[in-house]
Amino acid sequence: MQKRQIGLAYLLTILLIIPIALMQCSVDRFRGKVGLLGTSGKLLESNSALPSNMIGAALAGFREPVAGLLWVKADDYFHQGKFAEMVPLMKVITLIDPHMIDVYSTGAWHLDYNFVDKNEHSDRRLIPNAIQFLEEGVKNNPRVFDLYFELGFTHYMMKARDASHAIYWFKRADGKKTTDDQPTPRYVYHSLAHAYEMNGQIDECLKTWQRCIDYSTAEVNRLRKSGEIPSNITKNTTLSNEATLAMWDLQVSKSNYDRVLTRKLLRADLPSNRTNVNLEFTIKRIKPGVLLVSGVANVPDNTKVDVLLRDADWQERAKRSFTWRIDNQTIFLDSAMVRSGKFQAKVDVTDDSFYPMKDSQYELSAEINPRLEPEESQDKLGWSGEGLNDSHYLDTSTPGLRKARKVVMLPLSAIK
Amino acid sequence: MTVWTIARVTLGEAIRRKVLLVFLLVALALLLFSVIFAIFTPREEITMIISFGMGVITFASAAIAVFGTAGLIPIEIEKRTIYTILAKPVQRYQFVLGKFIGAALTILINLVAMAVVFYLVVVLKSMRPHFQIFYGLLMIYFQMVLLSAVTMTLSVFTTQIITITGALFVYIIGNISEYVQSLIQITQTPFVRILLRGLHLIVPNFSNFNVVNSVVHPENYPMDLMMLKYASTTVGWGAIYVVALMLLAVLLFQWREI
């Protein structure tokens, strides 16, 4: 090579740094857009106290095996009852492999249900954390239905008992595939119909059941044509899983449609024939931190009365403690059953780790919410309280809902 | 033609080298045994097999790229065989390029051998095709070609041991470049931010080629236009980087006294 050529080669080498740097910026941008950017950095930032060999193995490309091994460890903690150790470990697992769906769903379920006081009351302060964890999972796995459904069913519908949010998440699960590329399972639509019913949106509920009937009817007809479902089904007929599922789906959808429609007709005259619930209760302090709430209500047997004790300024405290720090908040919830017009609930807030009692004033309430009641109670009170009245404690603060709710403010000295 | 001849000879020598064969055999054994390893974890077996297999192939390919390239030029100098080569009508740049292409072919042959075994294990286990694996393997190959270029550049002016150490160091730094990116976001000092940003843009960012997550979880990463843009930009970036490194290697080798 001549001197001039060498000089040019040096110049070219230096100039190539410019496209390299510019293209690296583009790669970073595209990597972010396809969702491949971020987890390695977060893992190193997390101060997770993970053994360095595990961090090294995860960064070297063995992410899923490391996440799998940590998941075994988390399961070990569960069987030892070490729930507090388990939660941060699950957070680390999701940093290593953000697509481990089981970890999000199980982790959130632990937060919701497994942190219980000595009387088996779950720690409701952790519900926002469980939801936050699952929302993070949804963000990392937007194309699969699982975590949308988990949020809607296990958390909003079953735990937080918030049907309107459950509907939102079920709708978002609609059309999303399973991890093995199968269409959205039918139970998602069944749950959506149940959530509509729970939220008092009966016409939407019936429409959803009708959609399920139409879909499964088409499925059954298709399977009949292909011969998978024979024209004569006897006790000895063996059906494929697909055929069994389609027939089951059709049967469940039809019976639910009929049930809701029948009840809609039966409950049609409830607004003109309201029951005065006459909710009332008294409070007796048995010992420091333990209150006995005894009351009456003119409702059918097995109607639930939610007895709730929480800080007077709980909304402010909830805002402040929306992170893992929850030692600022007190919330106790128990459901008492009405028997022969009477109910009784024991409010036990003696466990300081669950009920820190940092406020000077507390709100104690008893509530009959028709949307959360069994069907027999709803037959008298309506889905949304159409048949409910209360001379003193009628609460219509939630649009479209009539419930009975009595609230008493208590100073700390009256409880502790 | 001269470049191609040197490349062919380099490939033939590499195939005969026992060290590289050991890496390949260990990797093949691990790939076959990945089916057994998978049962130790509670996750879907095929997820574990693919993840573990991709990890093994990356590791083995990196070892082959570094160890297979590091000695190509220093050994020729040490054994003085380079004199007989350069005494013929062979330019120094042709020698360097021929050696590099030979190294790239060596990596390709080893990678194909591992890929065949790996893909058979995956398909026999799951009984369905997994086309995204090919995308992952292709990206591993480009990553290893870049690593080979880094190693080659180091090898033209240092000893074999220093080359191996240096190449592995650059590989590790290049693989945690995402962490540097996170540091840029949390660092307050402007000077340090500029320094880290420069480091991130200039150091060969090997993690650009890391697409294992998308191979293991195809349900979350569709092979759409955006993924195609990402892959093509990354390969383009890698190609320019290799050209720059080869130019540098040729210049350094030109300057070196033999």
Side-chain angles (χ1 to χ4, degrees), chain A residues 9-10 13 17 20 23-24 27-28 30-31 34-35 38 40-41 44-45 62 64-65 71 97 99-100 141 143, chain B residues 42-43 48 51 55 178-179 181-182 200 202 205 207-208 210 213 217 219-222 230 233 237 240 247:
Chain A
Y10 270 119
T13 310
I17 293 172
I20 285 170
M23 284 185 84
Q24 179 61 57
V27 172
D28 287 343
F30 284 130
R31 201 168 166 80
V34 296
S40 306
L44 285 166
E45 277 170 32
F62 294 93
E64 284 76 14
W71 189 217
D97 183 1
H99 305 300
M100 224 168 147
N141 300 275
R143 291 170 188 276
Chain B
R43 302 189 64 185
M48 303 307 297
S51 173
E178 262 190 29
Y179 180 50
Q181 253 182 307
S182 306
H200 172 66
I202 304 301
N205 190 347
S207 59
N208 283 349
N210 186 351
N213 233 230
H217 302 284
E219 68 277 8
N220 279 299
Y221 301 94
Y230 166 67
T233 314
W237 166 86
I240 296 176
L247 266 173

Side-chain angles (χ1 to χ4, degrees), chain A residues 1 5-7 9-13 16-17 19-28 30-31 33-42 44-45 59-69 71-72 96-102 140-144 178-181, chain B residues 40-43 47-48 51-52 55-56 58-59 91 93 135 175-176 178-179 181-183 186 197 200-203 205 207-214 216-217 219-222 224 226-227 229-230 232-234 236-237 240-241 243-244 247-248 250-252 254-255:
Chain A
M1 281 171 94
Q5 285 174 319
I6 291 173
Y10 270 119
L11 187 68
L12 188 61
T13 310
L16 278 175
I17 293 172
I20 285 170
L22 289 175
M23 284 185 84
Q24 179 61 57
C25 294
S26 299
V27 172
D28 287 343
F30 284 130
R31 201 168 166 80
K33 279 185 182 170
V34 296
L36 282 164
L37 191 71
T39 47
S40 306
K42 280 181 197 164
L44 285 166
E45 277 170 32
L59 290 174
F62 294 93
R63 279 184 182 192
E64 284 76 14
V66 169
L69 288 171
W71 189 217
V72 174
I96 295 172
D97 183 1
H99 305 300
M100 224 168 147
I101 285 165
D102 295 349
N140 290 329
N141 300 275
R143 291 170 188 276
V144 285
T178 63
T179 47
D180 51 356
D181 211 30
Chain B
F40 292 114
T41 67
R43 302 189 64 185
T47 305
M48 303 307 297
S51 173
F52 185 77
V56 167
T58 308
F59 244 46
Q91 297 286 328
Y93 78 88
Y135 167 52
N175 263 309
I176 58 165
E178 262 190 29
Y179 180 50
Q181 253 182 307
S182 306
L183 280 180
I186 55 170
R197 184 92 186 126
H200 172 66
L201 294 177
I202 304 301
V203 168
N205 190 347
S207 59
N208 283 349
F209 296 99
N210 186 351
V211 293
V212 178
N213 233 230
S214 70
V216 178
H217 302 284
E219 68 277 8
N220 279 299
Y221 301 94
D224 55 11
M226 190 53 71
M227 187 62 94
K229 276 184 183 174
Y230 166 67
S232 54
T233 314
T234 304
W237 166 86
I240 296 176
Y241 217 122
V243 170
L247 266 173
L248 189 64
V250 167
L251 290 169
L252 291 171
Q254 199 74 32
W255 162 81

Side-chain angles (χ1 to χ4, degrees), chain A residues 151-282:
Chain A
L151 254 170
F153 186 75
T154 315
H155 301 278
Y156 278 114
M157 204 161 155
M158 303 305 288
K159 190 67 187 180
R161 305 187 302 179
D162 177 348
S164 64
H165 274 92
I167 289 167
Y168 169 78
W169 287 104
F170 291 146
K171 278 183 171 175
R172 288 194 65 186
D174 183 8
K176 306 276 188 317
K177 293 199 168 178
T178 63
T179 47
D180 51 356
D181 211 30
Q182 297 299 310
T184 321
R186 300 308 303 159
Y187 58 78
V188 173
Y189 303 101
H190 293 195
S191 302
L192 176 63
H194 284 303
Y196 274 131
E197 187 183 350
M198 189 179 171
N199 207 37
Q201 294 173 257
I202 305 309
D203 290 336
E204 287 299 321
C205 168
L206 285 169
K207 271 185 209 164
T208 310
W209 283 124
Q210 186 58 54
R211 262 176 64 199
C212 292
I213 292 168
D214 294 346
Y215 178 88
S216 44
T217 305
E219 270 298 284
V220 169
N221 288 340
R222 183 181 65 80
L223 293 165
R224 279 215 171 102
K225 265 186 190 170
S226 68
E228 277 196 62
I229 300 177
S231 49
N232 288 329
I233 298 177
T234 63
K235 277 183 183 175
N236 299 325
T237 309
T238 311
L239 293 171
S240 67
N241 281 345
E242 195 185 5
T244 313
L245 197 66
M247 291 188 71
W248 170 82
D249 187 36
L250 180 60
Q251 201 180 342
V252 168
S253 304
K254 272 184 177 170
S255 67
N256 271 295
Y257 183 88
D258 292 345
R259 177 185 59 79
V260 177
L261 187 64
T262 311
R263 286 204 136 90
K264 188 187 173 188
L265 296 171
L266 281 173
R267 294 171 188 178
D269 65 337
L270 283 177
S272 55
N273 189 20
R274 284 179 175 147
T275 303
N276 194 339
V277 167
N278 278 327
L279 175 69
E280 199 51 77
F281 68 82
T282 56

Side-chain angles (χ1 to χ4, degrees), chain A residues 23-94:
Chain A
M23 284 185 84
Q24 179 61 57
C25 294
S26 299
V27 172
D28 287 343
R29 203 176 59 247
F30 284 130
R31 201 168 166 80
K33 279 185 182 170
V34 296
L36 282 164
L37 191 71
T39 47
S40 306
K42 280 181 197 164
L43 177 63
L44 285 166
E45 277 170 32
S46 67
N47 299 319
S48 52
L50 259 186
S52 56
N53 57 347
M54 282 213 172
I55 290 184
L59 290 174
F62 294 93
R63 279 184 182 192
E64 284 76 14
V66 169
L69 288 171
L70 290 175
W71 189 217
V72 174
K73 185 73 190 162
D75 188 55
D76 204 28
Y77 280 147
F78 172 64
H79 291 296
Q80 290 172 29
K82 293 179 177 174
F83 302 131
E85 284 89 337
M86 205 180 152
V87 174
L89 186 59
M90 288 198 282
K91 181 85 184 159
V92 171
I93 297 171
T94 59

Side-chain angles (χ1 to χ4, degrees), chain A residues 138-151:
Chain A
V138 165
K139 210 174 125 195
N140 290 329
N141 300 275
R143 291 170 188 276
V144 285
F145 90 97
D146 303 60
L147 296 177
Y148 295 96
F149 178 73
E150 277 293 323
L151 254 170

